[in-house]
Amino acid sequence: MATRGTLSGAVVTLAIRILVERDRDRDPAPLLDLVPDGQVRAEDRRPAWPVRAPIVTRYRFGFSRLRPLDPVAQYERVLDHYPAVVRMDAAVGLGDSGEISALDPLAKALKDRNPAVRTLSANAVRRLGNAGLREAAREHPVRELLIDLLQDILRETRIAAARALASLGELEVLAEHRPKSARDQREWARMTRGEIPPLKRTWPGDLTI
């Protein structure tokens, strides 16, 4: 049998993810033993200083879905106490969790002072909707917060919020909040035609895009 040292990081990541997908309630200890360090640097970010983040922020492994780790509660603490580079991963992880309880901390993240966190949080609400929680999201305060983000100072955040609303079926909301710029109007028109670019996959088998 191959050992951790003989397998590529991508293979180990995918193997752990598949195990989590098959049983979200499994004992996390054997899986965590395959991942270096219980605390890790935030994924895919390039901060100017070393950042150590809770293991659940490594969402590609599926730790965002591993219930014994209580990931949603961990992400909520990250949103309160960690720098933006880690809060960004927490936002993605909340969307990847598939849990209705993730909507509550996302309501906080949608108001984050960092625009990248707000953008990723809008995408996370959209991902949860795509995972079968569309009606729950429409009935949750995140809906109104997404509407507020249609006026965000950052275009990327505005578009992410609009795409999330369109994905939730809130086309009337988009019609009521038609943007002034011609560029955004063209984007709105594409969304009303159902032309919404897919989200980036969190892992190769991700169907919530």
Side-chain angles (χ1 to χ4, degrees):
M1 181 176 177
T3 63
R4 172 66 180 85
T6 63
L7 296 175
S8 72
V11 170
V12 171
T13 300
L14 182 58
I16 294 175
R17 180 77 196 215
I18 291 172
L19 289 171
V20 172
E21 292 294 323
R22 289 180 174 176
D23 181 7
R24 296 178 62 180
D25 294 304
R26 69 171 59 246
D27 178 8
L31 305 182
L32 298 179
D33 287 344
L34 295 173
V35 181
D37 301 325
Q39 299 281 324
V40 297
R41 185 170 177 141
E43 285 195 78
D44 292 342
R45 317 294 183 200
R46 298 177 182 271
W49 65 95
V51 176
R52 295 172 71 81
I55 195 70
V56 293
T57 59
R58 301 188 77 171
Y59 48 82
R60 286 182 180 81
F61 289 87
F63 295 148
S64 53
R65 300 171 68 82
L66 198 53
R67 293 191 181 106
L69 295 178
D70 198 7
V72 172
Q74 289 205 55
Y75 289 136
E76 189 154 19
R77 288 192 290 273
V78 167
L79 292 173
D80 285 334
H81 302 296
Y82 281 76
V85 67
V86 187
R87 300 200 306 275
M88 291 164 67
D89 284 333
V92 179
L94 284 165
D96 187 50
S97 72
E99 298 285 354
I100 192 171
S101 60
L103 290 169
D104 289 339
L106 279 173
K108 177 188 303 182
L110 288 167
K111 297 181 287 186
D112 196 276
R113 61 186 179 276
N114 185 281
V117 177
R118 298 196 299 272
T119 300
L120 291 170
S121 299
N123 290 340
V125 175
R126 177 180 163 190
R127 192 179 296 281
L128 289 174
N130 293 344
L133 296 176
R134 186 168 285 113
E135 288 306 312
R138 293 181 68 171
E139 295 172 0
H140 192 274
V142 295
R143 177 184 180 273
E144 294 301 319
L145 292 168
L146 288 171
I147 294 173
D148 291 342
L149 288 183
L150 296 177
Q151 308 300 323
D152 197 88
I153 190 172
L154 187 70
R155 182 177 188 271
E156 182 180 3
T157 305
R158 297 196 303 271
I159 296 302
R163 289 174 176 170
L165 288 165
S167 183
L168 294 175
E170 297 284 359
L171 297 182
E172 291 185 5
V173 170
L174 295 185
E176 294 171 3
H177 294 81
R178 185 176 173 84
K180 295 180 179 179
S181 78
R183 184 184 179 194
D184 282 0
Q185 287 175 14
R186 290 192 293 271
E187 184 67 34
W188 253 240
R190 285 191 285 269
M191 283 184 274
T192 57
R193 295 194 299 267
E195 299 173 8
I196 307 173
L199 294 165
K200 180 180 178 181
R201 294 183 189 275
T202 55
W203 70 290
D206 185 7
L207 299 177
T208 62
I209 60 174

